[in-house]
Structures are given as structure tokens and as C-alpha cells.
Amino acid sequence: TSVSPNQFMAGKIIGDISIGFTQIFFWAIFVIITVMVGSGFIPFLRGIHISGQTLLLLAVVMLPGFVMVAALMAMVGATVTEAREGQQVTGLIALPVWIPFTLMAFMIGTPNSPVAVLLSLLPMTAPLTMLIRDGLTILPAWQIALSSFIQVASAVAAIWLAGRAFRLGM
């Protein structure tokens, strides 16, 4: 009773993000150790290099996208009464995230097409599309900046929406 619904939902989202980062941290440690040990035995592992632009994309596009999805999932949890209902609704949230994978063959052939650029700017598809395109072409700085801005605005809006949904559910 001492916090507002927005503060309460923000706390839940921060908890979800902390769990996600813990998982990502241990996966990253596992991959780094595998590459370091495996590069002595498997030649192609010696050529693995992650560019600074890829790390920048992870920070400015993937992180806000992760926060947005976590907020939307928290909103679903605050509004449904049964786990079965929540599973059905979260499927609708997760479905757009996978659109870049279904269009990957198209994007490999034309990574700078209008469709690929549009998917780089849409909040639910931008994180994966930007990483796919980063591996195929040089991304213009304006696309990274605009995508990042849209992702941050969407994350803030999703947190606000989760707070509103929680308040209405009370």
C-alpha cells in the first residue's frame, strides 16, 4: 500500500530483468570458455570476433527491447486470473518477436530493403532484425539511433501500460 501501481510494476519488471541478466551472464561465460578452450581444437573458433557495433546494438536496441517484453509479460500477469489465460496471451506477444526469423532468407539477400529497414524500426521486431542485419551489412548510424529511440520509448510506454493494467486489475 506504500507504493503506486507504476512503482510496483516497475519493481516486478526490474526483478524479471535481473533474472534474465543472470541467465545471460552465465550463458556468456559458458560461450567465452567454450571458445577459449575450443579454439585450440577447432580452427574456425579462432576467427570469432564480436565487433564494437554489435556490442552497441546489444546495449541500445536489445536491452530496451528486453525491458519492453518484460513489461508486457508483467502486464499480462497482472491482468489474467489463470495461468492458462496468460499462456495464450503471451503467445500473441511472443509471435511478432519471431517474424525476423521467418523472413531471414529474404533479409540475407537484401539486408537494406525497405522491409528489413521497417522491421528494424518496429518495436517487437527491431532487436532481432538489427542483429541479423548487423551481420550482413553496415547499418547506418541514423537507423541505429532511431531504432534505439523507438525501443526506449516503447519500453517506457510498456512499463506505464503495465502499471495502468495493474491499477485497473486492483
Side-chain angles (χ1 to χ4, degrees):
T1 61
S2 63
V3 297
S4 72
N6 285 347
Q7 292 170 332
F8 181 76
M9 290 307 287
K12 288 179 73 62
I13 293 164
I14 289 170
D16 287 343
I17 291 168
S18 299
I19 291 169
F21 279 148
T22 302
Q23 198 172 18
I24 290 168
F25 173 76
F26 283 108
W27 274 104
I29 294 291
F30 174 75
V31 168
I32 290 168
I33 290 171
T34 301
V35 168
M36 289 173 60
V37 172
S39 63
F41 303 105
I42 304 170
F44 80 87
L45 289 178
R46 291 184 200 122
I48 292 179
H49 174 71
I50 299 175
S51 70
Q53 182 169 321
T54 302
L55 294 175
L56 175 70
L57 281 175
L58 287 172
V60 301
V61 177
M62 292 292 284
L63 177 62
F66 185 73
V67 171
M68 178 188 60
V69 171
L72 292 174
M73 295 295 185
M75 179 188 70
V76 169
T79 57
V80 299
T81 57
E82 293 183 24
R84 178 176 262 165
E85 292 174 5
Q87 290 171 347
Q88 293 172 351
V89 176
T90 57
L92 295 174
I93 292 172
L95 188 62
V97 174
W98 292 98
I99 290 173
F101 284 119
T102 61
L103 297 175
M104 189 176 299
F106 172 76
M107 283 193 288
I108 287 172
T110 55
N112 291 320
S113 69
V115 172
V117 173
L118 177 66
L119 290 175
S120 297
L121 301 176
L122 295 175
M124 297 298 282
T125 59
L128 292 177
T129 304
M130 290 295 274
L131 284 177
I132 290 169
R133 290 182 61 220
D134 181 49
L136 300 170
T137 187
I138 296 173
L139 297 172
W142 72 268
Q143 288 180 12
I144 295 171
L146 183 57
S147 181
S148 175
F149 175 78
I150 292 170
Q151 288 296 105
V152 170
S154 298
V156 169
I159 292 170
W160 177 83
L161 188 61
R164 294 289 297 175
F166 179 70
R167 183 178 305 140
L168 291 173
M170 290 175 48

